[in-house]
Amino acid sequence: MLQSMGSGGDCLLSAEDFPLPAELEPEGERDAEGLKTLVVGAGCFWCVEAVFQALEGVREVVSGYAGGSKESADYEQVCSGTTGHAEVVKIRYDAQVISRGRLLQVFFSVAHNPTQLNRQGGDRGTQYRSVIFYSNSAEKAQAEGYMHLLESLPAWSAPLATRLEPLEAFYPAEGYHQNFVRQNPGQPYVQAVATPKLEHLQRAFVDLLSR
């Protein structure tokens, strides 16, 4: 695969040279504040949340669950891997500052290793799957096109395991999961997994960082 945080692979293409989707901002609804939304899963939501919180134009990142029912949207049940949920983050962003295409670029190159099926590192189970949740056909088409582009690159040596799933509902995770990395910078898991991702982001995408 392309060089990516946690890939353990050969350094064939660095994150700063990672390509962008052909279409940077597909059609999509805006909320009352004029912001758009992207929901993705890329392993433990603590670490994914921290990566996207660092980007200019991202107004809010909420850790939560998607893919299963409301009744099973709690951490203990989701950790069983039997609920259909993935640990996800809901990213609210200003499309005039940062595009969905840029967010997907960071998703594939820094936030996780998209070639690992139903796991990220030592975290294993369908709740840790690589997944993009789409709200309309334009968002789905953008993700599909981008994935085809990435897999066509000669530097990519393994197939993507990323799934595309319709967004039926998003359920915020328990309060103690929110802003976890910012509130627990010295926690061992954070140090081992989140901190290297943030360092990678700071080296590769300095132009995208919040100022």
Side-chain angles (χ1 to χ4, degrees):
M1 62 169 292
L2 299 172
Q3 184 190 9
S4 171
M5 183 59 236
S7 69
D10 295 331
C11 179
L12 298 178
L13 186 64
S14 59
E16 58 266 34
D17 296 322
F18 208 86
L20 279 164
E23 184 177 15
L24 295 183
E25 194 59 46
E27 294 181 6
E29 294 184 1
R30 299 174 187 267
D31 64 19
E33 296 180 60
L35 303 178
K36 299 181 76 172
T37 298
L38 171 63
V39 176
V40 294
C44 174
F45 46 28
W46 297 346
C47 307
V48 184
E49 177 189 72
V51 168
F52 287 105
Q53 282 179 329
L55 302 178
E56 184 75 14
V58 170
R59 297 287 186 84
E60 182 184 42
V61 186
V62 180
S63 290
Y65 314 108
S69 69
K70 179 179 180 180
E71 291 72 24
S72 62
D74 68 76
Y75 190 64
E76 184 174 350
Q77 291 188 73
V78 171
C79 280
S80 72
T82 62
T83 65
H85 281 296
E87 289 194 11
V88 299
V89 295
K90 179 180 180 180
I91 305 159
R92 296 176 63 236
Y93 66 98
D94 183 344
Q96 295 184 326
V97 179
I98 189 167
S99 66
R100 186 182 180 91
R102 277 291 201 177
L103 295 174
L104 290 179
Q105 183 186 40
V106 171
F107 170 78
F108 280 108
S109 65
V110 176
H112 76 316
N113 180 340
T115 69
Q116 293 185 345
L117 179 63
N118 294 330
R119 71 181 181 92
Q120 281 299 305
D123 293 325
R124 298 173 183 269
T126 57
Q127 69 271 32
Y128 298 113
R129 65 187 180 273
S130 175
V131 58
I132 299 169
F133 286 92
Y134 60 87
S135 297
N136 58 49
S137 59
E139 292 177 356
K140 181 182 181 183
Q142 181 198 36
E144 286 177 330
Y146 193 29
M147 290 168 65
H148 288 318
L149 169 63
L150 295 180
E151 290 191 311
S152 72
L153 298 174
W156 203 273
S157 60
L160 292 174
T162 305
R163 295 177 52 171
L164 300 179
E165 301 180 21
L167 181 64
E168 303 293 341
F170 168 83
Y171 304 100
E174 296 81 353
Y176 66 89
H177 289 301
Q178 309 301 333
N179 297 306
F180 191 89
V181 171
R182 289 181 174 178
Q183 296 182 16
N184 301 275
Q187 204 259 14
Y189 184 91
V190 167
Q191 288 285 311
V193 181
T195 299
K197 290 180 190 289
L198 291 172
E199 291 173 346
H200 190 55
L201 178 69
Q202 290 162 3
R203 291 193 303 270
F205 293 113
V206 63
D207 60 317
L208 297 184
L209 299 178
S210 180
R211 296 169 178 82

